Amino acid sequence: DAGVTQSPTHLIKTRGQQVTLRCSPKSGHDTVSWYQQALGQGPQFIFQYYEEEERQRGNFPDRFSGHQFPNYSSELNVNALLLGDSALYLCASSLADSGITDTQYFGPGTRLTVL
Amino acid sequence: QKEVEQDPGPLSVPEGAIVSLNCTYSNSAFQYFMWYRQYSRKGPELLMYTYSSGNKEDGRFTAQVDKSSKYISLFIRDSQPSDSATYLCAMSARAGNNRKLIWGLGTSLAVNP
């Protein structure tokens, strides 16, 4: 079992550019959540995808968008990058309707640097 | 005031010490409490999951929840250098896959041999 995988590992962009980050969930999982973790901070919830639809969203602007594919993998897109978007972007997968003991499994993250 | 407060440390202890990590919260609706461990350059991994008040033990780890004080703790017994990591608390008001986790900042722990 490969677990949650994310690509790329690192990315450097300049202000105003656009970026796409990718996530493959753990085998058997159908839900993907995206988080932003700034240095020295806890993860901040961006949004969650289930059945190819955005199910919940945190306090992030519309510049942050996403997609889930039929194979449950997901993409996070960020447009018009700002310096403040520099962070570790984490993907977490889980199984819908797994009850009270549901668990989110995290990938290693993509470190985005905006210059 | 943040919903979840966690002292970022850093905390440095000798090998074999008992470690106490804590979080306080303000939202009385929180019922589900988690502790995650995050090694450098890795994603968080779930250590402990507790529902409502009480204690839960798993090997060297014990999680405590005191809902009356809005205070949760993670104890690590016989700490090892491999326990050196950042420990994050997270909590939610609902169970289920569509809940939103609220996180603390994380406490950086170093266990010295």
Side-chain angles (χ1 to χ4, degrees), chain B residues 20-81:
Chain B
S20 173
L21 304 166
N22 311 294
C23 288
T24 59
Y25 62 95
S26 57
N27 188 345
S28 58
F30 288 148
Q31 297 190 75
Y32 304 93
F33 305 93
M34 287 133 280
W35 285 96
Y36 283 81
R37 178 175 62 195
Q38 186 173 23
Y39 291 113
S40 180
R41 303 183 185 280
K42 301 284 188 182
E45 59 176 320
L46 181 66
L47 277 178
M48 302 288 284
Y49 184 120
T50 310
Y51 168 66
S52 195
S53 285
N55 293 0
K56 184 175 183 180
E57 188 172 321
D58 184 1
R60 296 186 295 111
F61 298 91
T62 299
Q64 282 187 353
V65 175
D66 182 348
K67 289 191 70 181
S68 63
S69 302
K70 298 191 181 67
Y71 188 88
I72 69 170
S73 300
L74 177 70
F75 297 96
I76 307 174
R77 290 183 299 281
D78 187 25
S79 57
Q80 303 295 310

